[in-house]
Structures are given as structure tokens and as C-alpha cells.
Amino acid sequence: MLTVSVKWQKELFPKVEIDTSQPPYVFKCQLHGLTGVPPERQKIMVKGGLLKDDANWATLGVKEGQKLMMMGTADEIVKTPEKGPVFMEDLPEEEQMVAVGHTAGLFNLGNTCYMNSTVQCLHSVPELKSALVSYPSQKSSDLDHTSHMLTAATRELFNELDKSVKPVAPMQFWMVLRKKYPQFGQLHNGLYMQQDAEECWTQLLYTLSQSLGSPSFRYENPDTIKALFGIELVSRVHCQESSEESSETESVYSLKCHISQEVNHLHEGLKHGLKSELEKASPCLGRSAIYLKESRINALPRYLTVQFVRFFWKRESNQKAKILRKVDYPLQLDVYDFCSDDLCKKLEAPRQILRDEEGKKAGLKAKEKTSGSKDNDVKMTDVERPSNESGESSKPTSKEDKKSHLTGIYDLVAVLTHKGRSADSGHYVAWVKQESGKWIEFDDDNPVPQREEDITKLSGGGDWHMAYICMYKARTVPM
């Protein structure tokens, strides 16, 4: 530690201490406090020239009691505001929400991080919130009581999160979830057990699809959940032994990313997930045979959910073990290569429009429309209306308005991560992109802002948080 004096203009500051273990920038910050001159404007004369922010004190030869000269102009003195400062906690909660830039966290009620992270991810879907707002409080005759109660509890919990900046206790929602699905109420030594977040996600969406699709609930689209999250797969099932072949169609709420030694990226895992082997009876052979099932996407949702198949049942330990392998995933996902031929044709025109728009942004001239472009147009209805086509839009439109069309390109908007070695232990966290574009880590009742570049680092390879579920939002174009 050295003590020097500093002369600035007509003033002399004696006995200014220099901590030589710190870079000169720290010393400049001290002088800023004394003189009001910001570090970037300070010119301090030392042996060999001007003092640099990252210089080494040992090579500068500054001695005890030395007088240093500083030049630079101070900042203007800030005038006292006419109104006193208003503290965050004194603002109405609605204004606090705007100032903070994100919604509230959720208290952990005892190993309920799997539930909290699921709720935070789904809460980020505005179209789902709009559908729930219209859901009636009175149960319809064609719906079971617990499904109605869980849907109503979801609506109320979303509403609480939208209005509060303080953590919310999801007690009613948790109680109804356990009543509807008793497996989430399992106890061990008198304590509620950790559960699988993917199972919670799937069961909650299934319940909402039943409630919001109830015939007595006349929302704009009875297939709201299917339109938002449903993926239609068309599969070719082939037996090499007998040459039998058949096709089948199914609807799922997520694509599976299978993880093996060959999988390093989400794209590779999805490719593996769309192929599977199954054993079933062969009418031609009169016995069981192995069939190869190859699936393609035939209809896309507004929000595409991807599950990383990280857990498998380990007989030796009699529990779900975890695959820790690192699997990278992108901020922008293009699923065109996984689509059926019919869907690829429907996506061509919207994708060309998207390329033209991106070309304009990049300063390139958009391609001229061909005379046959109208024939390639794909009519895709709104989320709020029934649809048999491959895409939907999030906003209602009139007949005169252009429709929003899916392109097969999706942007990452939420990641649910798991930290630990088993699905039934460890800790779950939600990482959600806000409408402002900022990312928030929802670790139960503690929301923390995060940088976008750090979100794709949750790809695994160790004991840190790694992606278990990714949710992507469709990029659409008007046509």
C-alpha cells in the first residue's frame, strides 16, 4: 500500500492510498470519488507517460509520498430532483411488474420444483392463457370433476402470476394436481417425493386438452391444446422378414430426442427418435416378428416441445438413471427435414416468403413472385378456429386479413432443466424467454435474469443443470 498526493487543477489531495495489488483502474475510481472526473477522462502522469488502466504498479516506479498530476474535466453536478425518489416496493404491483420485466416465482412446497418449472414454462404461452381466461368456473356435465378443478386451478394460478411480483404459493393447484393424479402425492418418510417434470407436463396438457376441448365449452377452437402443442405423425411400419407394410397416424405432444454415443446434437437425436423397432404378431408368419417404424411429421403446432430422453430404468439400482451426455441444441430449430412430403410442399411458399423477408433485412433484393405461387399457398387457420391443416396463428383474423402460416422454423422460448442423477431426485428449474426478449431463470421463488448466450450451455456433460424439455415457438409469415 502506497500513499501519494494528487494535484488536480487548483486542488491538492494529500494522502491518497494506492492498493498496488489492484489495477490502476481501481485507483482512478478513487479519484473519481474525490474529483468527480470519470476514469475514462483522467490523464495521470507517471514515469514513461500516461497511467493505463491495466498497468503493472511494480514497473511504474511510483514511490511513497510522490506527487502525481491529473488532468480531466469533472461531470456536471446533478441537480436535486423536484420529486423525491420512488422506491420499487412503493409502486403498485402492476407497475412493479413492468419495472422488473418478469412475472413472479413459485414457492417450493416440498419437492415441488418439478411442478413449478412446468407451470412457469406453460405460463409463458399467451394463447394458452387466453383460452383459460374464457374457461367457465362452473363444471360442465361432460367433464369429470377433478379435470375441471385442475383446469380452473391452472387458470387461477396463471392469473396470480400475472398480477404479482412477489412469490406465489401454488397450494390450491398442487392439492388438485395430487387429487387428479395420485402419483404426485407419493410420500417417503412422511415427506412428498420428487417427481418427473415430463410426466407432470404431459398429464397437465392432457387434462387441459380434455377441459378446453369439452363440447359444452364453446371456445373459438375446441382443439386449442392440439393446435398449440399437438404434433401429427405419419408412420410407415415395415417387417423385413415378411415384407408386410402398413401406415398409421398418431398425435403426440412432443418429439423425443434419443441419446446415444452417436448423438451430439438435437437434430441427430430427433432423427433417432423418429425411428424405432417394435415386436408384434405377424399374420403372414403366424408368430411375433420385428417391425421397423419410421415416422415423419405431417402437421406442426404453434409451440413445438422436445423431450431429451435422458432417463432409463436401471435394474441394478431399481430406479431411473440419467444419461449425462452433452447434447447441443439451437436457439433456432428447423424441422423441415423431418416433415412428410405433403407437409414439405405446404411449407415451401411460406419458407420462401420468410427467406425473402430475411433477405430484405440483409439488404438483398427479394425474389419476384412466380405466376404459380398462388397455387402453392397453404391455407392455415387460426388457433382459435378448428383446423385440419398443418399450422395455426396466435391471433384471430377477419376474412380480409392475411393468415399466418407456419414455416417449419422455430425459436427457443423455454427450457426446463434437471440437475442430479435421477428423475425422481435432484432439482428442476425453468428458463423462460419474456416478451421483451430477456431470459429469466425461475428457480422456484427466485427469478434471476440470464443472458441468451448462456441458455444453450445447458446441454449436459456434467452434474450442472441440463436441458430435459425445450419449447420452441413457430416462426410464421402472413399470406
Side-chain angles (χ1 to χ4, degrees), residues 20-52:
T20 53
S21 66
Q22 299 292 328
Y25 184 77
V26 175
F27 175 59
K28 289 185 176 183
C29 289
Q30 289 176 250
L31 296 181
H32 181 207
L34 293 172
T35 64
V37 180
E40 62 270 16
R41 290 191 207 157
Q42 294 177 18
K43 293 182 180 180
I44 302 171
M45 305 302 296
V46 292
K47 182 180 178 182
L50 296 176
L51 179 64
K52 295 182 179 180

Side-chain angles (χ1 to χ4, degrees), residues 41-111:
R41 290 191 207 157
Q42 294 177 18
K43 293 182 180 180
I44 302 171
M45 305 302 296
V46 292
K47 182 180 178 182
L50 296 176
L51 179 64
K52 295 182 179 180
D53 292 348
D54 58 351
N56 186 349
W57 286 111
T59 62
L60 295 176
V62 178
K63 298 178 181 178
E64 178 72 23
Q66 185 174 335
K67 182 189 287 187
L68 300 178
M69 298 287 294
M70 186 186 85
M71 295 178 287
T73 55
D75 284 334
E76 292 183 14
I77 298 174
V78 180
K79 296 180 180 178
T80 305
E82 295 180 6
K83 293 182 179 180
V86 179
F87 296 100
M88 179 77 75
E89 55 268 26
D90 296 329
L91 291 170
E93 286 213 342
E94 291 78 5
E95 291 184 35
Q96 289 185 43
M97 279 289 305
V98 175
V100 172
H102 60 80
T103 53
L106 290 165
F107 283 116
N108 192 316
L109 305 177
N111 285 329

Side-chain angles (χ1 to χ4, degrees), residues 122-163:
L122 294 178
H123 174 252
S124 70
V125 179
E127 299 91 335
L128 178 58
K129 288 195 282 188
S130 296
L132 286 169
V133 166
S134 303
Y135 185 73
S137 299
Q138 190 171 357
K139 186 186 85 68
S140 60
S141 58
D142 54 354
L143 187 68
D144 68 277
H145 182 68
T146 52
S147 293
H148 168 73
M149 291 298 293
L150 182 55
T151 304
T154 305
R155 179 195 60 203
E156 296 307 314
L157 181 55
F158 280 11
N159 189 41
E160 278 190 83
L161 287 173
D162 282 334
K163 291 183 177 179

Side-chain angles (χ1 to χ4, degrees), residues 302 348-358 360-361 369 373 377-382 392-395 397-398 400-407 474-479:
R302 179 73 176 179
E348 283 175 6
R351 288 170 72 86
Q352 184 58 55
I353 291 174
L354 183 62
R355 282 192 292 266
D356 289 344
E357 288 179 353
E358 291 176 345
K360 287 178 182 177
K361 290 178 183 177
K369 289 186 178 180
S373 63
D377 283 1
V378 190
K379 298 288 183 179
M380 297 189 183
T381 59
D382 304 326
E392 298 80 20
S393 70
S394 61
K395 298 179 182 178
T397 58
S398 66
E400 294 76 22
D401 290 337
K402 292 182 177 181
K403 308 278 187 184
S404 287
H405 297 250
L406 299 182
T407 60
R475 190 174 291 191
T476 62
V477 295
M479 284 176 60

